[in-house]
Amino acid sequence: MTTALARRAAGAPKLKVLLLTACALLPAGLAGQALAASASDASPGAASTPDTAPDNAPDNADVAAVDALVVTARYRSEDVQTVPIPITALGGQQLEALGGTFNLKQLMSQLPSLNIQGFSGRNQTTTIRGIGTNAGGTNDGLEQGVGLYIDGVYRPRTGTAITDLVDVESIQLLRGPQGTLFGKNTVAGAIDIRTREPSFTPEWRGEVSGGNYKYLRAYGSYSGPITDNLAVRVSYLRNEREGLYYNTVYKKRWDNLDNNAYRLDLLYKPNDDFKLRVTADYSIQKGNMGFNVVTAVLPTTKANGSVVRGFYEKAASVGYTPLAIDPFARQIDLDNSQFDRMPSWGVQSRADWQVGGFTLSSISAYRDWRWIPNYDGDQIGANVSTQGIVDTVQTQFSQELRLVSPDERRLQYTAGLYYFWQEADDWTTSAYGRDAAKWLLGPTYPDEVLNGLASVAHVVPATHSYAAYGQATWKLRPDLRLTAGLRYTYEEKTGLYDAKVGGSAVAIADLPTAWQALAIAARATYAPVSRYEADWNGDNVSGLLSASYDLSDDAHAYASYSRGYKSAGINLVRQTTGVDIFVAPEKVDDYELGVKTRLLDRRLELNANLFWTTDENYQANYVNTTVSPAVTYIANTGTLRSRGVELDARAAPFTGLTATLSATYNEARYQSYKNASAQYLTSYQGVKDLSGAEASGAPRWTVAATLRYAKPITLPGGDGGEAYIGGDYSHRSHFFAAVNDDIFSLVPGYQVFGLNGGVRSDKGWDVSIWARNLFDEEYFNTLSVNATYGIVQGTLGEPRTFGATLRIKR
């Protein structure tokens, strides 16, 4: 740990060097302006490239230049430099260049404003610029603040995209509220993932990767015509890896990968004016995964001098000898099953009609996502909580109708109608073992008081959402455009909570008389009986206003204001003091001011963006540790403010060399948070005023950079090709993982390097070697304070992985 912390501390000077290097690429007169204005949004990677070069491209094709990026965030093919939205885009080639990267959580390193915390397929939370849903634990009554879309379909579960991504063509990250562009409202931003369409030209793609930890990834895809009007793409992906942790109880490696994904994609295109795309997919992830490790032991003396039973004292009372605290030894001693399965499937269709230059689209989708866990409730080797699970079946249906006006008109607009329904059918179980009574109640309690007891709750939250939205851009002059958007949202939410006693605990009458009253009270505490239903409905109007101005052919400025809205959260939990069934909706006011430039004969793109966001009634997961067992529920923290600067640079100094740099400085604070849960050392206070404190889940500094050099070569046999080598870098400064900024949840800053290189043939094959986390940096993804067990638990970042990949395309 000491070595790792030393390496992290060395990261700050390197960060300054990267920023100064980017500014050094500018003409002297612009460097100072760039530092003063700070940050922006041109993408660090290509979503796609145009078929023809822009008018201002160099005449000599051999002169180095940054490729233009074409994005479709506004449902039109547009040069990202002219779109007045903070966007980061990653295209297919850049995704492939990040060797060993196969899911969204790993791609977070190249999306600086994005933060994903979590420890299992179900428990993943996402923020952009510190706004969204944090604390690394999912609550089914809390909507995501970051909209996740795959081929235009909203995914309310981050877990559906943290596994393998199949047939990805591009990933676009839009920052700030996007309710006037996308079907489902979002307050923090949107992640827009697009996949490859079927082609009418026969095409084969294949990929095989192997690496350490017995890593094996195999992917195959065929696309081609069935008839003159119908094309198909069929894809299969297999991903496996042995565990990154060793379980000393089961004598096996855990946290393994065992994933399969299938995809069938049909494209019907009878003419140039109509096309229908129907996609069916199925994936399943399974393995002994989704657990935390003990990262530290909490002190037994609180700030006021009071002493509590600590981890080691409780362990001794049940005869448990814990492992030494050394998280990066990657050893665990969980003594109950942790085998989880996460199947997901869906069918969606998209029809596009071209009528008089207008595009009318219909997107329909049904999805089914399941989380089938066997979760060791205490996450340690003692037999306290033998199971702590939320078995989930989440189903959804969405229908969107959208009209897009023709391009190249003075007034361009998009308008849509949207309906979304989702329901989660959850069975929550907390089961207690032979050590529960002595650990939770006291060393003198007999095991039979809690042994075999189970609390079982049926929880069913459901949402019906209806919306109408539109956005129009008016070209006042060739160099000046105004954009306005409006959205109306109406939502209905219902919920059922039905908790009962389960398990096989000894009957109260069979206990010694002296313990019967205590046992009744203890069982009522840990397995309460309760039932209630709740419903809520509400509506809201939100919108956008922005202006963009062309300073020149290669410089574009914009300013915008937008209002985001997230409906009320619903708490379907055991009712205790302080728990409101419904919490107030979030309302976000976001201001953006940016400039996007091309410089040095298009050898450099430098973009800067200034943002200021205020989130009123910010909804966050709240842990009440003043009751036993602790209750996690949603609460309004008050007002959160996120403000800062973003810088994006892409450079091609000479032919063959390309470089990117993205950096975000974000000061996210609770402007008002008067009723935060008191931190561990002062938990006796109950609540704490955190107004003015740092917001959780929001690193102050995030940086991503890539460097790649490619050189044409002649391969044996005379075929043409190229050799390439590249590297990537990411840095995140420290942040609090817990909503209440508990010092024991402080995630230290870290930096990770990657390296890749290979040879590509003009005949369609590509062989590469790669390494992720090249220097084996020891870092945490998230940390949580568990006062019940007297420990800090966390999820570790991946260790160094390396391997080789063969790709073939025909």
Side-chain angles (χ1 to χ4, degrees):
M1 285 292 292
T2 303
T3 302
L5 290 173
R7 289 202 299 269
R8 295 184 190 113
K14 294 179 182 179
L15 174 59
K16 295 178 181 177
V17 170
L18 282 170
L19 295 176
L20 292 173
T21 301
C23 292
L25 296 173
L26 296 171
L30 289 177
Q33 297 176 28
L35 284 173
S38 251
S40 174
D41 314 272
S43 13
S48 60
T49 54
D51 295 332
T52 58
D55 293 339
N56 59 351
D59 293 333
N60 184 352
D62 292 332
V63 175
V66 176
D67 290 334
L69 295 179
V70 176
V71 294
T72 53
R74 299 195 297 181
Y75 308 110
R76 307 173 190 276
S77 295
E78 299 177 288
D79 185 340
V80 70
Q81 292 298 94
T82 65
V83 178
I85 300 174
I87 303 175
T88 298
L90 302 175
Q93 285 190 342
Q94 185 171 2
L95 294 172
E96 290 181 357
L98 298 170
T101 301
F102 53 83
N103 62 45
L104 188 59
K105 198 167 184 179
Q106 293 174 325
L107 287 171
M108 184 179 72
S109 64
Q110 294 302 308
L111 300 169
S113 298
L114 179 69
N115 197 28
I116 301 176
Q117 295 174 251
F119 56 91
S120 71
R122 183 180 192 276
N123 291 287
Q124 299 288 335
T125 55
T126 308
T127 58
I128 295 176
R129 300 170 175 169
I131 295 176
T133 307
N134 42 19
T138 296
N139 187 314
D140 288 341
L142 180 60
E143 293 186 3
Q144 294 284 346
V146 177
L148 174 61
Y149 296 85
I150 299 180
D151 290 330
V153 175
Y154 174 66
R155 302 285 189 94
R157 296 282 186 173
T158 306
T160 62
I162 63 161
T163 55
D164 299 280
L165 298 174
V166 181
D167 293 330
V168 174
E169 184 176 63
S170 69
I171 297 176
Q172 300 174 39
L173 175 67
L174 288 72
R175 301 186 282 278
Q178 302 297 329
T180 61
L181 275 179
F182 289 85
K184 192 74 173 70
N185 208 353
T186 60
V187 294
I191 303 169
D192 188 16
I193 300 175
R194 304 293 177 95
T195 64
R196 301 184 190 97
E197 283 191 350
S199 65
F200 284 92
T201 302
E203 174 189 283
W204 293 89
R205 291 175 183 260
E207 177 184 321
V208 177
S209 298
N212 60 335
Y213 295 101
K214 299 181 181 178
Y215 173 66
L216 176 63
R217 186 174 192 266
Y219 160 77
S221 174
Y222 168 76
S223 183
I226 298 176
T227 68
D228 291 342
N229 300 326
L230 183 64
V232 65
R233 181 182 295 277
V234 181
S235 304
Y236 169 70
L237 186 144
R238 168 68 180 167
N239 196 6
E240 62 182 54
R241 186 204 63 206
E242 73 174 358
L244 302 179
Y245 301 78
Y246 181 72
N247 187 309
T248 60
V249 175
Y250 285 83
K251 310 297 183 185
K252 292 182 179 179
R253 299 198 69 85
W254 279 17
D255 192 39
N256 58 306
L257 292 177
D258 184 1
N259 302 347
N260 289 278
Y262 309 81
R263 187 178 176 88
L264 174 65
D265 207 339
L266 295 171
L267 178 64
Y268 175 62
K269 192 173 182 181
N271 53 57
D272 291 338
D273 296 328
F274 176 80
K275 69 176 181 179
L276 172 65
R277 185 182 181 189
V278 179
T279 305
D281 66 88
Y282 173 81
S283 64
I284 183 166
Q285 170 185 286
K286 56 183 185 290
N288 292 294
M289 56 191 178
F291 49 83
N292 288 307
V293 298
V294 180
T295 64
V297 173
L298 294 170
T300 57
T301 303
K302 299 293 184 74
N304 63 352
S306 61
V307 178
V308 297
R309 289 177 71 214
F311 176 65
Y312 290 118
E313 184 180 354
K314 291 180 177 181
S317 71
V318 297
Y320 164 55
T321 303
L323 294 174
I325 306 300
D326 184 7
F328 291 100
R330 298 183 186 270
Q331 290 193 348
I332 56 173
D333 62 351
L334 279 67
D335 60 338
N336 287 295
S337 174
Q338 192 75 21
F339 187 81
D340 304 328
R341 292 183 294 142
M342 187 172 68
S344 175
W345 66 272
V347 178
Q348 64 188 65
S349 68
R350 172 171 176 162
D352 295 298
W353 293 268
Q354 301 285 337
V355 182
F358 290 85
T359 302
L360 178 62
S361 300
S362 172
I363 305 175
S364 310
Y366 177 85
R367 297 207 60 83
D368 182 291
W369 177 87
R370 303 186 180 213
W371 176 243
I372 308 169
N374 285 287
Y375 196 78
D376 187 312
D378 51 45
Q379 298 285 280
I380 57 175
N383 196 252
V384 182
S385 177
T386 58
Q387 193 175 61
I389 65 170
V390 183
D391 193 308
T392 301
V393 177
Q394 191 266 343
T395 51
Q396 68 178 78
F397 172 78
S398 60
Q399 174 63 55
E400 183 172 5
L401 295 175
R402 184 172 61 235
L403 179 69
V404 179
S405 69
D407 293 337
E408 306 305 327
R409 288 195 176 185
R410 191 170 183 182
L411 180 66
Q412 298 178 352
Y413 56 87
T414 300
L417 298 172
Y418 183 72
Y419 169 73
F420 175 74
W421 165 82
Q422 72 164 334
E423 181 177 279
D425 194 336
D426 297 342
W427 286 92
T428 301
T429 303
S430 296
Y432 300 94
R434 63 181 179 275
D435 297 335
K438 288 184 172 60
W439 191 289
L440 299 173
L441 303 175
T444 61
Y445 278 73
D447 298 344
E448 292 78 13
V449 170
L450 293 179
N451 188 24
L453 180 71
S455 173
V456 181
H458 189 202
V459 179
V460 185
T463 299
H464 292 266
S465 180
Y466 310 83
Y469 65 91
Q471 182 168 302
T473 298
W474 181 28
K475 295 182 180 179
L476 280 75
R477 301 186 331 207
D479 58 355
L480 178 62
R481 294 166 295 278
L482 291 179
T483 299
L486 200 64
R487 178 189 183 90
Y488 173 76
T489 304
Y490 175 79
E491 293 194 323
E492 299 174 346
K493 294 193 172 186
T494 60
L496 165 69
Y497 178 82
D498 187 6
K500 299 178 180 179
V501 178
S504 57
V506 173
I508 295 293
D510 295 335
L511 290 173
T513 304
W515 288 103
Q516 290 182 4
L518 292 172
I520 291 172
R523 293 182 184 185
T525 297
Y526 287 92
V529 176
S530 175
R531 189 185 190 283
Y532 61 87
E533 297 182 32
D535 62 86
W536 174 93
N537 63 76
D539 61 354
N540 177 262
V541 176
S542 54
L544 163 82
L545 184 64
S546 73
S548 57
Y549 179 67
D550 299 333
L551 302 169
S552 70
D553 288 344
D554 290 326
H556 313 275
Y558 63 89
S560 69
Y561 162 76
S562 57
R563 161 62 69 94
Y565 169 79
K566 185 166 72 170
S567 60
I570 180 172
N571 279 309
L572 298 175
V573 297
R574 176 166 58 98
Q575 294 299 293
T576 58
T577 302
V579 177
D580 294 321
I581 295 179
F582 289 102
V583 298
E586 277 187 48
K587 295 182 179 180
V588 173
D589 292 304
D590 176 68
Y591 301 86
E592 309 274 348
L593 181 63
V595 61
K596 300 184 177 186
T597 65
R598 286 190 173 106
L599 306 167
L600 304 179
D601 252 352
R602 290 177 49 85
R603 289 184 177 87
L604 173 68
E605 283 183 358
L606 183 65
N607 302 333
N609 184 67
L610 176 68
F611 62 90
W612 185 299
T613 307
T614 302
D615 190 330
E616 183 181 351
N617 291 326
Y618 182 59
Q619 300 169 354
N621 285 317
Y622 182 100
V623 182
N624 185 354
T625 59
T626 63
V627 297
S628 294
V631 179
T632 301
Y633 57 93
I634 310 165
N636 294 116
T637 64
T639 302
L640 184 150
R641 184 192 64 204
S642 173
R643 61 183 181 181
V645 291
E646 294 164 327
L647 174 71
D648 265 298
R650 299 195 306 134
F654 54 85
T655 301
L657 181 66
T658 56
T660 69
L661 172 67
S662 299
T664 299
Y665 174 82
N666 179 26
E667 184 190 60
R669 294 188 175 276
Y670 299 119
Q671 281 192 296
S672 175
Y673 190 7
K674 298 183 180 299
N675 62 338
S677 174
Q679 296 139 347
Y680 172 76
L681 290 176
T682 57
S683 58
Y684 50 83
Q685 295 177 349
V687 298
K688 183 178 180 64
D689 187 350
L690 287 181
S691 301
E694 289 184 34
S696 66
R700 184 69 59 91
W701 279 101
T702 52
V703 179
T706 65
L707 188 67
R708 186 177 186 274
Y709 178 70
K711 182 177 178 60
I713 60 172
T714 301
L715 297 168
D719 292 336
E722 69 173 11
Y724 58 89
I725 187 170
D728 58 88
Y729 166 84
S730 66
H731 165 83
R732 287 174 188 263
S733 61
H734 75 266
F735 62 92
F736 290 102
V739 175
N740 69 347
D741 286 358
D742 196 304
I743 190 62
F744 295 107
S745 76
L746 182 67
V747 176
Y750 60 89
Q751 52 193 359
V752 176
F753 293 82
L755 188 66
N756 66 86
V759 176
R760 178 180 295 116
S761 166
D762 292 342
K763 297 294 186 179
W765 57 261
D766 183 334
V767 178
S768 63
I769 58 174
W770 46 265
R772 289 178 47 80
N773 193 2
L774 182 64
F775 301 111
D776 207 18
E777 174 82 341
E778 296 175 345
Y779 66 98
F780 300 105
N781 173 261
T782 191
L783 293 171
S784 61
V785 179
N786 191 328
T788 300
Y789 292 92
I791 53 178
V792 180
Q793 295 172 297
T795 303
L796 310 183
E798 292 184 354
R800 176 172 51 230
T801 56
F802 54 85
T805 298
L806 169 65
R807 292 188 179 94
I808 298 176
K809 179 182 177 182
R810 291 282 189 265

